Amino acid sequence: MDARPTLLVIAHGSRDPRHAATVSALCARVRSLRPGLRVEVGYLDFNAPRVPRVLERLSAEGVREVVALPLLLTRAFHAKSDIPAALREATARLPLLNVRQADVLGPSSLLTDALERRLAQAGLRPGDRRSTGVVLASAGSSDPEAIAVIAEIAREWRHTTGWCAVRPAFASASLPRTADAVRELRAEGVGRVAVAPYVIAPGFLPDRIAAGAREARADVLAPVLGAAPELARLLLRRYDRAVPGHARGDLAALIA
């Protein structure tokens, strides 16, 4: 093992076993890209091990530096509140352990590259762009900042890649829903409509996105991002960005 801080990937967790399986596959890909880097997984809910238990084990094993990376695509409630609170509570009991919270994954061109990969996997080709509208379907959030980020990603993706339209949609908390966005594109005369789930792992909300796509008879439904190589590279990019100053500052600065 190298001497760099341990990477702790923090996932939300789900009752759906596909969620944890996908997180495990993604972390395995990260390990393959960075041999020797210790990569651990902790969950906020539903799955084990929970984040505090992982930190306790790492501290007991003599680990002193950890980069905690939220497996989240937007900076909403979990990144702003849940995860910092969990880290503060755990590290208050583990005074020898320094933890730095890395940035969330999005937005990033690597994520749109992964979306493109999944659309191609679903059958779309470069020649389809001018006649295809894409629904960028995310889980949804009550956080206005997160919603604004999704809308901006949709605008930028349309601008840089040539799809005839890219519209945001949400599985919860915000509007429009996936089915409504598909119907809106149809009403505007778009010849082909594809739904691109902007979610990492299968589960309840991704299933709702898929159901909306089927309800509105979307032509193409792409898979979730999953363990896409672009996603694994992005995890390492966020980790590397968090590492340089990891030895500086007090605990409050480390997990702010």
Side-chain angles (χ1 to χ4, degrees), residues 68-83:
L69 198 161
L71 197 61
L72 300 170
L73 298 178
T74 57
R75 189 172 179 271
F77 180 77
H78 293 306
K80 294 177 179 178
S81 181
D82 281 1
I83 291 176

Side-chain angles (χ1 to χ4, degrees), residues 136 149-159 165-168:
L136 179 67
V149 166
I150 298 298
E152 179 58 30
I153 291 169
R155 286 191 292 268
E156 182 67 14
W157 192 15
R158 162 69 181 86
H159 176 72
V166 179
R167 299 289 172 78

Side-chain angles (χ1 to χ4, degrees), residues 36-178:
L37 174 64
R38 182 169 182 175
V39 181
E40 299 282 347
V41 179
Y43 294 92
L44 291 176
D45 204 355
F46 301 114
N47 299 100
R50 300 291 178 87
V51 171
R53 302 291 84 76
V54 178
L55 293 174
E56 289 166 6
R57 173 167 54 82
L58 291 174
S59 181
E61 293 174 3
V63 173
R64 294 295 171 256
E65 303 286 342
V66 173
V67 170
L69 198 161
L71 197 61
L72 300 170
L73 298 178
T74 57
R75 189 172 179 271
F77 180 77
H78 293 306
K80 294 177 179 178
S81 181
D82 281 1
I83 291 176
L87 296 178
R88 279 194 297 269
E89 181 180 350
T91 54
R93 296 180 283 101
L94 304 168
L96 298 180
L97 191 65
N98 289 326
V99 179
R100 178 177 294 275
Q101 182 176 326
D103 291 336
V104 297
L105 299 177
S108 169
S109 61
L110 284 171
L111 288 171
T112 48
D113 289 347
L115 289 166
E116 293 277 349
R117 174 188 293 276
R118 294 309 188 216
L119 286 169
Q121 182 180 339
L124 290 176
R125 298 293 176 259
D128 297 327
R129 292 179 186 276
R130 295 185 65 181
S131 61
T132 302
V134 178
V135 174
L136 179 67
S138 77
S141 172
S142 59
D143 188 311
E145 177 186 347
I147 298 306
V149 166
I150 298 298
E152 179 58 30
I153 291 169
R155 286 191 292 268
E156 182 67 14
W157 192 15
R158 162 69 181 86
H159 176 72
T160 58
T161 59
W163 300 106
C164 76
V166 179
R167 299 289 172 78
F170 307 94
S172 68
S174 306
L175 296 174
R177 296 288 188 257
T178 302

